[in-house]
Amino acid sequence: MFETIYYSVNSIDGDYAYLKREGSEDGELKCVARALLPMEISEGCRLVYEMMQYSICQ
């Protein structure tokens, strides 16, 4: 039911971050409000999306 998805932070622009899904063949970026992401993110870091929440991948 709930899929685990890995993203990398491609860029940060003000209140939004642009994420690239790992393993995705299309180059499409996902725009996500920074309020939904961990405060510690930076460009290039890896995120995991599980159970409708984003967290930094260790």
Side-chain angles (χ1 to χ4, degrees):
M1 182 174 171
F2 291 102
E3 183 180 3
T4 299
I5 304 171
Y6 293 92
Y7 291 98
S8 59
V9 179
N10 190 18
S11 62
I12 297 173
D13 185 15
D15 290 336
Y16 297 92
Y18 294 88
L19 309 180
K20 179 163 179 20
R21 184 174 178 165
E22 293 184 356
S24 175
E25 308 237 342
D26 65 7
E28 191 171 330
L29 298 177
K30 179 177 183 175
C31 181
V32 178
R34 292 204 44 206
L36 300 174
L37 302 172
M39 292 183 70
E40 307 84 25
I41 66 163
S42 60
E43 291 182 5
C45 78
R46 247 178 120 213
L47 299 174
V48 60
Y49 181 72
E50 296 179 293
M51 303 296 288
M52 299 175 56
Q53 291 187 343
Y54 293 94
S55 57
I56 293 178
C57 190
Q58 300 299 335

